[in-house]
Amino acid sequence: MRALRPLASLSLVLLALLSTSAAFAEAMYQVEVIVFRQTTQPLPAARPAPDDWAQGALPIDPSQERATTLNNEAGKLTPANGYNVLLHKAWAQSIGASPGRVALSAGSEQSGHFPVEGTLDLKQDRLIDLSANLWVNRFDDSGWLSSSELIKHSVRLQSGELTYLDHGSLGLLVRISPL
């Protein structure tokens, strides 16, 4: 009988760990993203963004949009300081063990593309894994996509920390905080 007690205790500990990770997997977070350009950098000509830039990701549900909190940081990214904010959004999202993908866009759509468009993949183990594929697009005089810049990064984030991702003339600030 005594030999079964350690097994029962081990089973209870494993069950507690599984239930904790299940609750952890369903946590809601506020995700906030700022995409900006250094205005002093020359704009490289690159291949245009693909027509399937969203890759099946759904746009952020308007009911999940939140007020931005990185307004002081965005306020410093002015043309007078050599920067231009291209996108600044915040939303609530459940982040768990399986990746969740959202489509981001800013500006007016032209021929199926936006001035800023792309996807964010988020998943959580102990830290939060972020994969960003964001295009900053240029259009010709007739409204057709002529070239794009891509910021593509994968990084591990600490919850609540502001993280800066640099990519040539483009930058990305992101903070993911529990709700």
Side-chain angles (χ1 to χ4, degrees):
M1 195 61 131
R2 287 185 184 232
L4 294 178
R5 284 187 187 159
L7 287 176
S9 297
L10 180 60
S11 297
L12 288 174
V13 169
L14 288 175
L15 184 60
L17 286 173
L18 287 174
S19 65
T20 300
S21 63
F24 187 63
E26 296 176 11
M28 289 295 289
Y29 289 86
Q30 174 159 319
V31 180
E32 187 164 356
V33 174
I34 301 173
V35 178
F36 62 94
R37 170 190 305 289
Q38 294 180 5
T39 57
T40 58
Q41 294 290 322
L43 303 178
R47 195 169 35 149
D51 288 336
D52 67 340
W53 62 267
Q55 303 170 0
L58 296 176
I60 298 163
D61 184 327
S63 69
Q64 296 300 317
E65 291 181 9
R66 298 289 186 258
T68 56
T69 60
L70 297 175
N71 299 323
N72 288 337
E73 291 79 355
K76 295 174 186 175
L77 299 170
T78 64
N81 291 330
Y83 301 99
N84 187 19
V85 173
L86 306 172
L87 176 143
H88 186 186
K89 289 192 178 197
W91 66 94
Q93 180 176 344
S94 176
I95 302 174
S98 41
R101 175 178 283 177
V102 295
L104 297 175
S105 62
S108 300
E109 182 180 1
Q110 298 181 50
S111 305
H113 290 278
F114 295 87
V116 180
E117 61 191 14
T119 61
L120 292 181
D121 290 329
L122 296 164
K123 77 174 194 171
Q124 182 178 26
D125 189 11
R126 276 192 255 165
L127 299 174
I128 298 171
D129 293 326
L130 165 78
S131 293
N133 290 307
L134 297 166
W135 286 270
V136 176
N137 297 318
R138 285 178 293 237
F139 300 90
D140 63 20
D141 294 336
S142 60
W144 291 102
L145 183 62
S146 61
S147 63
S148 304
E149 294 172 83
L150 172 63
I151 182 167
K152 183 175 185 166
H153 273 285
S154 293
V155 66
R156 248 184 195 170
L157 305 173
Q158 191 83 343
S159 178
E161 284 187 5
L162 180 61
T163 302
Y164 168 63
L165 303 173
D166 182 27
H167 187 73
S169 65
L170 298 175
L172 176 73
L173 289 172
V174 62
R175 182 174 7 190
I176 302 173
S177 304
L179 287 177

